[in-house]
Amino acid sequence: MYVVKSPLSDADLKTVSEALQGALVDLVDLSLVAKQVHWNVVGPRFRSVHLQLDEVVDTARLHSDTVAERASTLGVSPDGRAGTVAATSGIGTIADGWVKDVDAVGTLVDALGAVITRMRERIDATGDADPVSQDIFIAITADLEKHHWMFQAENGG
């Protein structure tokens, strides 16, 4: 059921709504993964990695809200429920317990890489269907790529 009528055609709306929903799930999961690692990181670089993880959490939460509100704007109900996130995220599972700083960085490099790959697919998918949503995906990807670069540099490449 659509409460808000989208200006997009049905075909374009389907493409864009799938991209927005996928992005929402990935961003919510990214924020959860980064926060889980943040709580459990240990090692000589604890403080710098700990703070860097919070930056990823802030970015993911900010962008997840933007994505969800874009979906709502187009008449699509966003779904960020835990079960939906767990079932459809593109981020793999992470180990429980304490995480050495070097492993924490590797976990974030992998998680960010997975989300960036999927965001770039969404950029391609939405270009003709909705350049406004595509622009949102471009901005998200730029921010995530910056975090990805910084975490890679943290472990020397």
Side-chain angles (χ1 to χ4, degrees), residues 17-95:
S17 66
E18 288 172 359
L20 289 166
Q21 179 59 39
L24 176 61
V25 164
D26 284 350
L27 290 165
V28 168
D29 198 22
L30 180 62
S31 72
L32 294 172
V33 166
K35 195 49 108 170
Q36 179 66 26
V37 174
H38 165 92
W39 293 323
N40 288 283
V41 66
V42 294
R45 294 181 299 157
F46 162 80
R47 180 148 174 79
S48 65
V49 173
H50 184 81
L51 295 173
Q52 196 173 355
L53 288 161
D54 264 344
E55 293 172 5
V56 173
V57 171
D58 291 344
T59 297
R61 287 179 178 168
L62 174 70
H63 286 305
S64 66
D65 192 52
T66 299
V67 165
E69 289 181 357
R70 179 66 185 159
S72 294
T73 298
L74 295 175
V76 177
S77 175
D79 186 355
R81 295 173 299 159
T84 302
V85 172
T88 59
S89 172
I91 301 173
T93 59
I94 63 167

Side-chain angles (χ1 to χ4, degrees), residues 68-152:
E69 289 181 357
R70 179 66 185 159
S72 294
T73 298
L74 295 175
V76 177
S77 175
D79 186 355
R81 295 173 299 159
T84 302
V85 172
T88 59
S89 172
I91 301 173
T93 59
I94 63 167
D96 62 348
W98 302 113
V99 183
K100 292 183 180 181
D101 51 9
V102 69
D103 296 331
V105 170
T107 296
L108 262 291
V109 167
D110 292 346
L112 286 161
V115 175
I116 289 165
T117 296
R118 288 169 50 115
M119 285 297 173
R120 287 189 162 276
E121 292 168 0
R122 294 174 185 118
I123 290 168
D124 292 341
T126 57
D128 292 332
D130 182 24
V132 175
S133 294
Q134 182 192 46
D135 188 52
I136 291 169
F137 295 135
I138 290 168
I140 293 167
T141 303
D143 286 349
L144 296 179
E145 287 178 345
K146 184 174 181 181
H147 287 300
H148 191 244
W149 156 57
M150 290 183 170
F151 272 105
Q152 288 182 79

